[in-house]
Amino acid sequence: MHTSFARAAWPMTVLPLVACLIAAPTARGQSLSPSTLGISVQLHGVAGTMNTAIYPRASGSTALGFGGDVSYGASPRLSLVGRLARITSKSEIPTESTDYAIVQGDLVLRWMQSPGARVRPFVEAGLALRRLAFEYAEAAGVLNDFTAFNGGATASLGVMVFQTESMSVEGAGTYTSGNFSTWKVNGKSESLAQMTSEMLGVRVGVRYWLKR
């Protein structure tokens, strides 16, 4: 198993299109004056480019995932968000490829603009904890199960658009990076080289406020 890393670019022109679609005004929506205080939950999908250095000189591959979060709005501008997602991708070179999955848990702070407005731009930053899992075949063809854990950084820039007083849709550009260094092979701890991984993509979801 090799550990070199190649950075990839994701076409971020997708995000403005998402924002335009979810922000399309409606006659009823213009009169909303929603609050972001209290507890809310969200379901979301994730898409982007993932680089994980299972192979040297591997290019970034499409990553797809889904997840959810629980958010607590402490003030009209500031929220604490706990998020969990499962993302799948592939590390590949012309002669070989390996599918892998990452389970990611985020703990972030969200800062929002325009309190009380229907359209709320926001930024997020915080900690990402990730578990990587994949199978890798030895020369003899024997499959080994590899898992690794890491802590890294994550950030988002997006917009929240209320459709009712208690429901909104969100679109955000996201970036997450970290180094996997705590390894297990077939369930046993192993000392392996550090592996870098990052994802650049978009997240789109629906949020519902439970209590304010």
Side-chain angles (χ1 to χ4, degrees), residues 1 96 136-144 146:
M1 183 176 62
E96 194 171 2
Y136 190 85
E138 296 179 345
V142 178
L143 283 176
N144 292 303
F146 286 78

Side-chain angles (χ1 to χ4, degrees), residues 154-208:
T154 185
S156 303
L157 174 65
V159 61
M160 177 187 302
V161 183
F162 280 87
Q163 307 302 307
T164 70
E165 293 286 345
S166 59
M167 189 272 284
S168 65
V169 293
E170 294 178 16
T174 67
Y175 176 76
T176 304
S177 180
N179 298 318
F180 291 103
S181 56
T182 304
W183 288 93
K184 286 187 177 181
V185 181
N186 298 324
K188 297 181 180 180
S189 296
E190 295 283 350
S191 179
L192 300 176
Q194 181 173 274
M195 179 186 290
T196 303
S197 177
E198 70 176 0
M199 180 175 176
L200 184 64
V202 295
R203 181 181 70 242
V204 178
V206 178
R207 182 175 301 281
Y208 182 76

Side-chain angles (χ1 to χ4, degrees), residues 37-42 69-71 166 207-212:
L37 296 177
I39 299 172
S40 65
V41 294
Q42 182 199 61
D69 75 39
V70 177
S71 174
S166 59
R207 182 175 301 281
Y208 182 76
W209 265 260
L210 302 176
K211 184 179 180 181
R212 287 190 171 95

Side-chain angles (χ1 to χ4, degrees), residues 4-72:
S4 65
F5 174 73
R7 184 179 297 268
W10 171 254
M12 293 302 289
T13 52
V14 173
L15 183 57
L17 176 60
V18 172
C20 288
L21 290 175
I22 66 176
T26 63
R28 181 174 180 271
Q30 296 302 315
S31 64
L32 294 177
S33 183
S35 168
T36 54
L37 296 177
I39 299 172
S40 65
V41 294
Q42 182 199 61
L43 295 177
H44 62 264
V46 180
T49 295
M50 181 87 80
N51 276 313
T52 300
I54 298 171
Y55 301 105
R57 298 177 300 278
S59 60
S61 295
T62 299
L64 298 172
F66 62 92
D69 75 39
V70 177
S71 174
Y72 176 71

